[in-house]
Amino acid sequence: FDYLLKPIDANDLVEAVEKLSKSFNQQEAKNMFDALLSNTANPNPSNKKLVLKTLNEIHVVDTSQIIRCESHNNITEFFFCNTATPVRVSRTLKEFEDILSDCNFVRCHQSHLINIKHIVRVIKHPSPSIKMSDECIIPVSIRKKEILKLIDSKA
């Protein structure tokens, strides 16, 4: 929606919140503001909240509950631990890769971003892939094969 540069200037923060409140209804603005407060109060990146705006709703989710993200052109689908229904957001996977990179997410394929905390198994042969906690098998591209070493070192 907007961005703030570090160190955060109080006036810039006030302007961003005012823009937010003008463009959304009160409940949507409150959800986004609550996520902002939670993220700034919590220094642990694995416990961050993410705001996902769909066509009809705004979801505020814990990043630790995201198993994986899958891209379909400029649509990103989020798959969660606690629900079988994915959330579809009209933003690119690259945008979420940048946001989630410090929250234990790695891009293992041009269409897949995974939470390494939800990896069940790394499959090396016949083709590199990763089994996630939702039982989905995610391919690992040849160019991203070094990701398997990173995952082994964090496991």
Side-chain angles (χ1 to χ4, degrees):
F1 178 78
D2 201 357
Y3 64 93
L4 298 171
L5 298 175
K6 293 180 184 176
I8 295 175
D9 178 30
N11 293 332
D12 291 343
L13 178 60
V14 169
E15 285 179 28
V17 171
E18 285 174 358
K19 274 193 217 176
L20 180 69
S21 65
K22 288 177 184 174
S23 67
F24 295 109
N25 70 39
Q26 229 173 0
Q27 184 59 44
E28 291 172 336
K30 183 186 178 323
N31 289 344
M32 293 177 108
F33 189 69
D34 288 346
L36 172 67
L37 289 178
S38 173
N39 287 344
T40 55
N42 187 352
N44 184 354
S46 63
N47 292 332
K48 296 279 184 191
K49 294 202 181 277
L50 182 64
V51 177
L52 301 175
K53 185 177 178 189
T54 65
L55 188 60
N56 300 320
E57 300 175 305
I58 291 181
H59 302 264
V60 180
V61 299
D62 289 320
T63 56
S64 62
Q65 296 299 306
I66 302 169
I67 297 172
R68 61 190 178 87
C69 307
E70 187 172 335
S71 171
H72 306 281
N73 297 321
N74 289 333
I75 303 290
T76 301
E77 278 188 310
F78 285 79
F79 295 85
F80 301 96
C81 300
N82 51 2
T83 181
T85 307
V87 173
R88 296 173 59 99
V89 181
S90 296
R91 289 175 61 189
T92 65
L93 191 62
K94 173 67 175 142
E95 292 177 68
F96 291 111
E97 178 184 12
D98 295 340
I99 293 168
L100 295 170
S101 62
D102 64 341
C103 299
N104 294 312
F105 283 78
V106 293
R107 185 130 178 211
C108 61
H109 188 273
Q110 79 177 29
S111 301
H112 297 279
L113 181 66
I114 61 170
N115 185 341
I116 64 172
K117 301 244 182 212
H118 289 281
I119 294 174
V120 173
R121 184 179 330 135
V122 175
I123 303 163
K124 295 183 180 179
H125 298 290
S127 61
S129 54
I130 296 170
K131 183 175 183 180
M132 302 301 293
S133 60
D134 65 349
E135 301 296 319
C136 188
I137 305 291
I138 305 297
V140 177
S141 70
I142 299 299
R143 290 183 287 160
K144 299 285 187 170
K145 203 170 179 182
E146 71 277 357
I147 295 290
L148 297 176
K149 293 176 189 168
L150 173 71
I151 292 168
D152 282 342
S153 69
K154 290 194 176 191

